[in-house]
Amino acid sequence: MSRVVTLKINGQDVSGREDETVLQVARENGIEIPTLCHLEGLSNVGACRLCLVEVKGVSRLLPACVTRVSEGMEVTTHSERLERYRRMIVELLFSEGNHVCSVCVSNGHCELQDTAIQLRLDHIGMPYRFPVRQVDASHSRYGLDPNRCILCTRCVRVCDEIEGAHTWDIMGRGINSQLITDMHTPWGESETCTSCGKCVQICPTGALFIKGKSVAEMTKRPDFLPYLAMMRNRKNGS
Amino acid sequence: MSKKKIATIWMDGCSGCHMSFLDIDHRLLDLADLIEIVHSPIVDHKDFPPDVDVTLVEGAVSSDEDYEKILKVRARTKILVAMGDCAVSANVPAMRNRFTPKALQEAVYLAPNMANPQLPHGTVPILLPRVRPVHEVVKVDVFVPGCPPSNDTLFYVLSELIHGRMPDLSDKTRFGA
Amino acid sequence: MHLEDLHAIAQQQQEADSKLEHILYVCTGTACQSSRSEEVLKAIQAELKARGLEKKCAVRPGGCQGLCARGPLANLDRGKQLYQHLTPEDAPAVVEALDGEPPARLQLDKQLPFFTRQVRVATQGGGLIDPNDLNSYIAAGGYTALLDALMHKTPAEVLQEVVKSGLRGRGGGGYPTGLKWSTVAKAAPTPKYVIVNGDEGDPGAFMDRALMEDYPFRVLEGMTLAAYAVGASYGYIYVRAEYPLAVKRLQNAIKQAQKQNLLGSNIASTPFSFNVEIRLGAGAFVCGEETALIASIEGGRGTPRPRPPYPAESGLWGKPTLINNVETIANVVPILQHGSEWFARIGTEKSKGTKVFALSGRINNTGLIEVPMGITLREIIFEIGGGIPEGKKFKAVQTGGPSGGCIPEQHLDMPVDYDSLAQVGSIMGSGGMIVMDETSCMVDVAKYFMEFSMAESCGKCVPCRVGTAQMYDLLLKISEGRATLNDLALLEALCDMVKHTSLCGLGQAAPNPVISTLRYFRDEYLAHILEKRCPAGVCQMKPEVMEVHS
Amino acid sequence: MYQAKPIPAPSDDKRWRIVNATMRRHGYQPSGLIETLHTMQESFGFLDVDGLRYVARSLRVPLSQVYGVATFYNLFKMKPAGEHTCIVCLGTACYIKGAPAILSSLEQALEIKPDQTTPDKKVSLMVARCVGACGLAPVVVLDEETHGKLSPEAVVEKVAAWRVPVAEER
């Protein structure tokens, strides 16, 4: 059993196990830190950078999702600077794709939209890039609208780590990175997809959706994940 | 106290924001002593007047006409309000940005089932290569996202502004609301 | 192979050499090869043969003599005479004058500050070692350090020498090498790995290429010493595929070393075993980052992951892994040969030893130099480098590539060391040093580097993926005279944000060229924005017209 | 444990033996993927989807991962290159010594952009980050031969010579 450590988050004394992350301990204590790539039950990639926090004595900002708590640590999760950076990150995400909330299936149930509201964004200060991206509607039950994709790779990870199919991955790099199925072949023709739909349920935006849903009708149900992750770990003997 | 001069303009948008504005309904009458609507698609004033206190802008900047209009409006307005998602984020109108204006016009005007397929000449405004939100063209003072923003929101914004306060919209509206 | 055998080989070689009247080394590095140095070598060989001199005089392929701009270069009798601009047609003239004066146009003054101001540690041997021949390396003292360590020192003692030397990482960061080694040495004795990072990706940097091409055995020996010190049994050299000659020579070196039992199982009949494999990069700058490099060796996309855990604790295949840059590793052999005290006497208090720089751009003596830390930029540029050609005025020197900055005239008298360079907004970097004169536009230079970082961003984290693209667009806008002061403010806000929030070094450092040029050349940005003109006359102004569809 | 059946190479092209040899050398481990792609690229000049599928199956790497890796690295090409290649170095030294002028002259003369091939399949135009021969800046690599200090005109002339049809011998 791992040791219990005490630390301060935003001046509040809290305790956690030393194998827990700052994010976990913060959430256990009702302190919300925004995240988009993190999801309980999946491995962490530390890619969205929204959960960066300040730790006393460390000059760099640290991602709460992968930083372990330690004795005497003093964490600040919200500051003028962190909020500014978080707003800019969300602005970058909005400027990168084509996010048209008003006609999106996930309007009102979107983690990107929620994060923007939480951060009190009323407009996007970065020039919109308006990329040209093709919708993939070849799958019989699900659709992919890459215009709404924020490359959080939750779908890639759930497909690989939980379902074990590894149908999804990222091709290209940098600003040209793109979500693909198999050899960049249409989803409906995938040789590996089991149509389990886990990717759809954990997608934070309307990028992956169930066909036939109209505007604002697509609610996601990611809560199956911690349970499946636990069962999988048990089988693997860890 | 002299009445505040209020204007509204309509660029590339569905007019839903103006509908929402009209839905303010009788409460508009409450404001009647305080404001004067000097220009609006609903009151038919030909040219945009100078020295406007507040202009509510609906729609994105999409054509040469919009572009010239917004420059003029900005120059003649003290407080410019981007009203609704089209003005704030270019929203649905921007969905045409993946096509060139030429391809778009051909798809619309030269569709095979058209009775008399021909491209318009000089009769409609010229499309800009890309639809842009208002703040990418001119400075915007107040952003009111929403598709459309509710009449309550618009009433709140207007009342705050005419009383010389900046509205805090953080819990009142959002993108796509 | 034992120490005595090494000495015997060295002695044999020296005796054989002493019987020769002349030995000529012709540089066969990439730059000289592209000026036909291989043909020069063959022509001189043929000429010697034709004159029946091949028993008396030897002409051998050698390493970089440094002054690449004047290649092909050659070195006669250990520096007695230097040659420049050789062509195969010059072979008769060269052979003719072996005992006398070669034609003036072929003579290169060995008293040039370019040569006299250098201090050679990593490039010890001065290119007068045949990179294809293990015996030639042994004759120059090669492998004594390794065998001495294996026979007479414990791993801890080898490690201590490196710690005491004060050597810092030459790949850019300047992390103390000894500390890195200690962490890996302390890690649990599961399989451990040593990786030599030869993925030199900075545009305008070619130090590691030259070191791998000219001293492949030194890289191997250094790597083997590192493996012995930290307890690793397997190693990888990760080389850019764009460096085919380096790959070829390293492959050859591995084969020869294996044959002589200087690499492989039970090296020199000791219990220590170490094997090395070469892995080719495939064109991704980000793979210079430790965790991305590891992902690439594992066969995946070269995307970095958050640290900790550091590779020293959990690296390749999750095992403790030591990653050192080529130049760092090349310093290990001289340190163990001459002792840490000798090494620590070179350089400054906090930056010991030397640094190899690739000097290029608007400078007379472009090429490769090795200088002691603490030398000033002015000495490098105006003495060693011979100043700016065509009487032009110096504007800035860029160090650290896309992660570094531009240093203006006012800081030229600053000593070159890790901390001073950081203070003025640049970094030591891997050693590219590009000189710019008044014909370079600093906005254009910043744009150039941002384009690089944007194209090389792996795309994993948001700030780097989208931030570099947005910054590039803003720089493009500024360079074309379409930007406003608001755009400049947004650019600066993005620089700050991308620097502090990106996942890895590539993103964190991507804004540096912009930040440093804004710091020293803000007036150039303002000229583009407010006056719609490029002071250096580089950028084409494209003032915004309302683009309409006609 | 699931064992993939040995799968046949996409064709009986002899070059697949070379690719197989690389995979064998890496014990058919997934970590051999990049080395295998290098061999494939050297043997065939580019990576095609059927070939990638074969490699994926042989090394037991997911299809999407193979495609992700192949498109991540600059050196891997998904399309065949032309008969000749012209690589313009855009390293910093070359950049400030006139590489952009060389590149734009070539773009004009060949009417293609970097990473494209002329319609006659004669010339592929490419750019390099740095070929490490900064002393010779600006540098152009013509069919693997490094040329330094050339003017835009001289480069265009050399490249144009590739496109002149060789007169048929009678």
Side-chain angles (χ1 to χ4, degrees):
Chain A
M1 199 60 199
S2 34
R3 226 157 45 96
V4 171
V5 295
T6 53
L7 61 149
K8 272 194 166 78
I9 302 184
N10 301 336
Q12 179 187 338
D13 285 315
V14 296
S15 63
R17 291 194 321 273
E18 63 180 354
D19 62 350
E20 285 186 293
T21 64
V22 172
L23 182 69
Q24 284 171 319
V25 174
R27 288 192 173 168
E28 283 159 18
N29 287 280
I31 301 164
E32 257 321 298
I33 303 173
T35 58
L36 282 172
C37 65
H38 166 85
L39 199 60
E40 198 64 46
L42 294 180
S43 63
N44 282 308
V45 288
C48 76
R49 316 306 283 169
L50 279 171
C51 71
L52 287 179
V53 294
E54 292 163 0
V55 176
K56 196 172 175 190
V58 181
S59 58
R60 289 185 301 148
L61 301 176
L62 298 177
C65 66
V66 292
T67 303
R68 303 239 176 263
V69 291
S70 61
E71 184 62 41
M73 197 179 214
E74 289 183 38
V75 181
T76 305
T77 64
H78 290 75
S79 68
E80 188 274 321
R81 176 180 178 225
L82 288 173
E83 292 297 281
R84 186 172 73 240
Y85 288 162
R86 284 174 189 154
R87 271 195 298 273
M88 288 178 87
I89 289 171
V90 172
E91 287 181 275
L92 286 176
L93 284 172
F94 269 96
S95 76
E96 182 188 22
N98 295 306
H99 297 278
V100 190
C101 299
S102 59
V103 293
C104 179
V105 289
S106 288
N107 189 8
H109 323 283
C110 168
E111 292 182 43
L112 179 65
Q113 191 183 30
D114 291 346
T115 310
I117 295 162
Q118 236 178 57
L119 293 167
R120 307 163 75 99
L121 273 178
D122 59 8
H123 75 291
I124 304 305
M126 315 278 171
Y128 285 99
R129 301 181 58 79
F130 297 124
V132 175
R133 295 176 180 173
Q134 297 296 336
V135 173
D136 183 346
S138 60
H139 194 281
S140 59
R141 278 197 266 163
Y142 311 119
L144 162 66
D145 185 347
N147 293 294
R148 304 167 181 158
C149 175
I150 56 168
L151 295 167
C152 67
T153 69
R154 283 187 190 175
C155 53
V156 177
R157 284 174 283 153
V158 79
C159 189
D160 176 58
E161 296 166 14
I162 306 294
E163 177 63 9
H166 203 119
T167 300
W168 297 106
D169 211 313
I170 305 291
M171 73 169 275
R173 69 179 185 207
I175 195 71
N176 298 316
S177 302
Q178 188 187 336
L179 186 62
I180 53 164
T181 46
D182 291 356
M183 292 267 171
H184 195 199
T185 32
W187 190 2
E189 293 165 25
S190 168
E191 303 164 44
T192 57
C193 174
T194 61
S195 299
C196 72
K198 292 187 187 71
C199 51
V200 176
Q201 296 300 339
I202 52 90
C203 172
T205 71
L208 294 172
F209 56 90
I210 297 175
K211 279 184 166 179
K213 298 282 183 187
S214 182
V215 173
E217 286 182 356
M218 184 69 224
T219 47
K220 306 272 174 103
R221 194 181 51 84
D223 26 304
F224 66 90
L225 196 56
Y227 169 74
L228 281 193
M230 184 185 75
M231 295 311 278
R232 178 156 282 267
N233 283 341
R234 210 183 62 167
K235 278 211 164 150
N236 294 341
S238 61
Chain B
M1 191 176 100
S2 64
K3 288 185 177 182
K4 294 272 183 189
K5 292 183 186 173
I6 308 292
T8 74
I9 61 163
W10 179 25
M11 300 192 295
D12 196 355
C14 71
S15 86
C17 295
H18 271 91
M19 294 299 137
S20 198
F21 179 70
L22 289 178
D23 275 348
I24 293 177
D25 243 357
H26 61 274
R27 283 175 296 178
L28 261 182
L29 298 177
D30 301 342
L31 295 176
D33 294 339
L34 301 170
I35 65 170
E36 176 191 357
I37 297 191
V38 293
H39 181 96
S40 173
I42 48 178
V43 294
D44 188 35
H45 276 274
K46 287 288 182 270
D47 196 22
F48 194 87
D51 301 323
V52 176
D53 291 301
V54 177
T55 301
L56 304 176
V57 179
E58 174 183 348
V61 184
S62 182
S63 65
D64 61 343
E65 189 186 284
D66 295 340
Y67 185 83
E68 282 153 23
K69 188 189 282 175
I70 196 67
L71 292 185
K72 183 193 271 183
V73 167
R74 174 70 267 186
R76 296 178 178 187
T77 301
K78 289 200 191 86
I79 297 177
L80 191 78
V81 181
M83 171 172 65
D85 278 355
C86 294
V88 171
S89 75
N91 202 25
V92 173
M95 291 172 83
R96 75 134 158 107
N97 282 351
R98 58 181 303 145
F99 307 105
T100 63
K102 186 163 179 284
L104 195 71
Q105 285 198 324
E106 284 171 0
V108 172
Y109 292 102
L110 304 181
N113 54 356
M114 292 280 287
N116 180 18
Q118 60 168 14
L119 287 176
H121 290 288
T123 47
V124 294
I126 297 167
L127 295 180
L128 301 178
R130 272 184 170 187
V131 183
R132 301 214 151 264
V134 175
H135 70 270
E136 287 190 18
V137 182
V138 296
K139 184 173 175 289
V140 169
D141 305 299
V142 180
F143 293 90
V144 188
C147 187
S150 70
N151 51 26
D152 289 349
T153 302
L154 289 175
F155 178 71
Y156 165 73
V157 169
L158 203 56
S159 356
E160 290 293 288
L161 288 175
I162 56 184
H163 288 106
R165 296 185 292 261
M166 286 307 259
D168 174 9
L169 287 160
S170 46
D171 51 1
K172 297 219 163 35
T173 185
R174 59 173 168 83
F175 302 119
Chain C
M1 181 72 70
H2 293 275
L3 267 173
E4 303 79 61
D5 303 322
L6 282 187
H7 293 311
I9 292 174
Q11 211 169 348
Q12 253 174 29
Q13 289 275 321
Q14 278 151 13
E15 271 170 30
D17 282 2
S18 67
K19 288 189 187 124
L20 292 166
E21 285 174 19
H22 298 289
I23 306 172
L24 181 72
Y25 280 94
V26 177
C27 173
T28 49
T30 294
C32 282
Q33 269 200 9
S34 64
S35 325
R36 310 193 340 196
S37 70
E38 295 266 7
E39 288 172 54
V40 172
L41 181 74
K42 283 194 188 119
I44 296 175
Q45 257 161 359
E47 188 66 27
L48 286 174
K49 207 166 182 188
R51 298 185 187 215
L53 294 171
E54 75 266 31
K55 292 257 159 48
K56 286 187 188 162
C57 308
V59 49
R60 296 174 184 162
C64 185
Q65 296 293 317
L67 200 42
C68 308
R70 304 211 198 160
L73 304 173
N75 181 317
L76 181 68
D77 298 339
R78 309 216 156 254
K80 203 185 93 199
Q81 177 68 56
L82 297 179
Y83 298 86
Q84 62 179 1
H85 297 312
L86 288 171
T87 65
E89 294 73 36
D90 292 324
V94 170
V95 175
E96 187 79 32
L98 280 177
D99 290 309
E101 234 350 58
R105 71 186 160 85
L106 298 179
Q107 285 187 34
L108 178 56
D109 182 3
K110 63 183 183 209
Q111 293 305 328
L112 282 178
F114 186 90
F115 298 108
T116 59
R117 299 294 308 267
Q118 294 200 42
V119 173
R120 293 178 173 277
V121 177
T123 63
Q124 174 179 286
L128 305 182
I129 298 173
D130 181 345
N132 297 307
D133 183 9
L134 175 59
N135 286 348
S136 178
Y137 178 66
I138 293 175
Y143 276 109
T144 51
L146 177 66
L147 293 202
D148 180 53
L150 293 183
M151 313 280 177
H152 309 301
K153 288 182 182 140
T154 64
E157 284 167 343
V158 174
L159 202 154
Q160 267 315 303
E161 276 303 295
V162 175
V163 172
K164 279 193 289 182
S165 74
L167 177 65
R168 292 170 69 174
R170 299 293 195 246
Y175 190 79
T177 308
L179 203 54
K180 212 177 200 181
W181 286 29
S182 306
T183 315
V184 181
K186 271 186 227 141
T190 52
K192 294 180 193 178
Y193 298 95
V194 172
I195 298 174
V196 171
N197 183 350
D199 189 51
E200 177 174 63
D202 284 16
F206 51 91
M207 303 74 48
D208 294 346
R209 173 182 61 71
L211 288 172
M212 290 185 285
E213 283 175 4
D214 296 348
Y215 311 102
F217 294 103
R218 185 169 301 148
V219 174
L220 278 186
E221 188 187 352
M223 195 177 171
T224 315
L225 280 163
Y228 179 66
V230 304
S233 54
Y234 211 89
Y236 292 91
I237 310 179
Y238 189 88
V239 192
R240 292 182 77 192
E242 291 92 331
Y243 289 171
L245 188 62
V247 173
K248 201 175 95 189
R249 290 196 175 153
L250 283 167
Q251 271 165 344
N252 172 61
I254 290 174
K255 254 187 217 147
Q256 291 194 22
Q258 280 170 339
K259 213 166 163 191
Q260 294 299 329
N261 191 218
L262 294 167
L263 195 64
S265 308
N266 303 104
I267 293 174
S269 315
T270 66
F272 177 65
S273 300
F274 182 61
N275 284 293
V276 171
E277 236 185 278
I278 294 176
R279 281 299 168 92
L280 292 187
F285 174 70
V286 67
C287 289
E289 200 277 345
E290 292 185 355
T291 57
L293 190 153
I294 288 172
S296 184
I297 292 184
E298 290 174 351
R301 292 164 58 84
T303 55
R305 59 156 179 78
R307 300 179 300 178
Y310 289 91
E313 298 149 353
S314 172
L316 191 63
W317 324 119
K319 304 295 180 197
T321 304
L322 174 71
I323 306 187
N324 277 146
N325 151 276
V326 168
E327 190 184 333
T328 314
I329 279 293
N331 271 296
V332 169
V333 174
I335 288 172
L336 283 147
Q337 278 174 345
H338 308 296
S340 55
E341 284 169 23
W342 165 83
F343 184 83
R345 276 198 298 271
I346 311 169
T348 68
E349 202 200 324
K350 284 189 175 167
S351 303
K352 309 274 188 213
T354 58
K355 180 76 194 81
V356 183
F357 287 105
L359 201 53
S360 67
R362 299 278 178 187
I363 188 157
N364 279 310
N365 300 334
T366 53
L368 197 76
I369 55 166
E370 182 168 6
V371 289
M373 297 273 194
I375 191 172
T376 67
L377 284 167
R378 192 181 297 283
E379 288 170 283
I380 293 181
I381 295 164
F382 289 93
E383 291 179 33
I384 296 176
I388 318 293
E390 299 162 30
K392 292 271 195 313
K393 197 171 162 331
F394 170 88
K395 185 186 264 185
V397 54
Q398 212 279 342
T399 68
S403 312
C406 294
I407 303 166
E409 170 104 45
Q410 74 215 60
H411 292 306
L412 279 186
D413 293 310
M414 187 195 73
V416 172
D417 60 60
Y418 291 100
D419 312 290
S420 305
L421 284 166
Q423 254 173 36
V424 298
S426 189
I427 58 165
M428 175 77 76
S430 56
M433 198 176 258
I434 297 126
V435 178
M436 297 167 195
D437 63 15
E438 54 197 295
T439 62
S440 289
C441 165
M442 302 319 274
V443 177
D444 182 62
V445 167
K447 186 185 79 177
Y448 165 81
F449 282 116
M450 195 54 74
E451 194 273 338
F452 183 94
S453 293
M454 171 178 74
E456 296 297 332
S457 165
C458 81
K460 180 172 177 174
C461 80
V462 182
C464 177
R465 179 179 76 232
V466 199
T468 53
Q470 289 284 10
M471 288 191 285
Y472 173 75
D473 283 354
L474 288 165
L475 287 164
L476 184 70
K477 211 169 161 187
I478 295 172
S479 75
E480 293 180 347
R482 296 184 283 116
T484 63
L485 289 175
N486 283 340
D487 292 318
L488 186 62
L490 179 58
L491 177 65
E492 294 194 88
L494 275 166
C495 282
D496 172 61
M497 177 263 194
V498 172
K499 189 183 173 84
H500 291 107
T501 59
S502 292
L503 195 160
C504 84
L506 189 153
Q508 288 158 11
N512 284 353
V514 184
I515 295 173
S516 84
T517 48
L518 270 167
R519 178 165 162 189
Y520 299 116
F521 302 97
R522 200 178 186 88
D523 51 331
E524 293 196 25
Y525 282 81
L526 294 178
H528 286 77
I529 295 168
L530 301 175
E531 300 161 36
K532 314 285 175 213
R533 74 180 176 91
C534 173
V538 174
C539 304
Q540 302 252 325
M541 294 295 123
K542 295 176 186 164
E544 189 146 43
V545 280
M546 195 188 60
E547 310 156 76
V548 291
H549 163 65
S550 51
Chain D
M1 197 184 127
Y2 173 77
Q3 279 283 332
K5 273 183 283 180
I7 51 163
S11 69
D12 50 12
D13 192 317
K14 288 206 179 79
R15 288 175 288 187
W16 284 114
R17 289 189 204 163
I18 308 170
V19 177
N20 286 342
T22 301
M23 294 199 284
R24 206 163 40 243
R25 191 154 47 80
H26 289 276
Y28 290 95
Q29 288 300 306
S31 57
L33 176 60
I34 293 177
E35 295 288 311
T36 307
L37 297 183
H38 269 300
T39 308
M40 226 178 124
Q41 167 109 0
E42 271 164 43
S43 309
F44 295 92
F46 73 108
L47 310 176
D48 75 316
V49 170
D50 284 341
L52 287 177
R53 200 179 295 272
Y54 169 63
V55 169
R57 286 286 149 77
S58 305
L59 299 178
R60 287 164 297 155
V61 181
L63 296 175
S64 57
Q65 197 175 335
V66 168
Y67 202 84
V69 169
T71 53
F72 182 85
Y73 295 96
N74 274 348
L75 285 184
F76 297 137
K77 305 288 174 200
M78 308 298 282
K79 277 186 224 143
E83 208 175 301
H84 301 278
T85 52
C86 171
I87 305 171
V88 180
C89 179
L90 285 183
T92 320
C94 295
Y95 186 81
I96 69 167
K97 284 187 133 179
I102 293 181
L103 185 61
S104 60
S105 316
L106 282 166
E107 285 176 351
Q108 270 176 22
L110 298 171
E111 296 178 347
I112 52 172
K113 295 266 160 208
D115 264 335
Q116 293 181 343
T117 302
T118 51
D120 61 4
K121 305 258 191 295
K122 286 275 189 194
V123 186
S124 289
L125 180 60
M126 286 186 246
V127 292
R129 284 293 172 207
C130 181
V131 297
C134 313
L136 302 170
V139 173
V140 177
V141 185
L142 303 171
D143 282 345
E144 297 184 8
E145 210 175 285
T146 309
H147 296 260
K149 301 180 181 172
L150 289 180
S151 67
E153 297 74 33
V155 178
V156 168
E157 193 178 318
K158 280 176 186 286
V159 171
W162 285 335
R163 304 188 73 195
V164 177
V166 182
E168 270 181 45
E169 284 179 40
R170 303 200 165 186

